[in-house]
């Protein structure tokens, strides 16, 4: 499916979260589109009660491209309510983004079974 980005959200202790893109994920090539996808992901994480990590930020350079590729951590932490219960039931969080008819990315955090083929 073109224009679809999906990534598992992985907790990185004392740093935040890292995105692990699924094999079929597509990252835009144009800088503006990359930035819009990054903002849509940030909105989805905020809507799902993710918060900024309280620990001091790692001074390493982060680019949106590195975050989308799963090569850098994001200074966010998992929500304190809801997510642990979902994980106990054998699910993991994914951020899933699809391009709407208007051209913008619409993203949401979804929970899938650990052994699910795709989010």
């Amino acid at each position: 499916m073109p224009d679809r980005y999906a990534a598992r959200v992985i907790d990185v202790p004392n740093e935040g979260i890292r995105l692990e893109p699924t094999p079929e994920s597509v990252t835009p090539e144009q800088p503006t589109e990359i930035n819009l996808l990054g903002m849509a992901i940030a909105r989805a994480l905020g809507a799902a009660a993710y918060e900024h990590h309280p620990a001091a930020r790692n001074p390493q350079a982060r680019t949106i491209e590195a975050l989308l590729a799963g090569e850098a951590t994001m200074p966010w932490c998992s929500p304190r309510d809801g997510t642990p219960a979902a994980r106990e039931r054998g699910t993991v969080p994914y951020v899933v983004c699809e391009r709407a008819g208007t051209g913008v990315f619409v993203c949401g955090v979804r929970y899938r079974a650990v052994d699910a083929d795709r989010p």
Side-chain angles (χ1 to χ4, degrees):
M1 179 179 296
D3 293 336
R4 183 175 194 272
Y5 177 87
R8 182 174 174 179
V9 180
I10 298 175
D11 285 309
V12 179
N14 302 316
E15 288 187 42
I17 61 172
R18 182 175 55 81
L19 300 177
E20 183 179 85
T22 60
E24 66 274 359
S25 285
V26 175
T27 303
E29 294 180 13
Q30 298 298 320
T32 300
E33 296 294 313
I34 293 169
N35 289 336
L36 291 172
L37 176 57
M39 286 190 289
I41 290 171
R43 286 187 56 172
L45 291 170
Y50 280 75
E51 300 175 346
H52 280 277
H53 199 284
R57 306 244 172 133
N58 186 335
Q60 76 181 16
R62 290 184 181 97
T63 65
I64 295 175
E65 293 87 352
L67 294 170
L68 295 174
E71 299 167 353
T73 57
M74 302 171 74
W76 292 70
C77 53
S78 297
R80 289 167 177 61
D81 59 349
T83 299
R87 289 187 181 158
E88 287 173 18
R89 291 190 305 269
T91 63
V92 293
Y94 282 83
V95 63
V96 178
C97 306
E98 295 188 19
R99 194 179 295 269
T102 58
V104 298
F105 281 97
V106 177
C107 301
V109 175
R110 301 179 188 160
Y111 294 88
R112 299 289 184 226
V114 173
D115 57 358
D117 289 340
R118 64 182 289 219

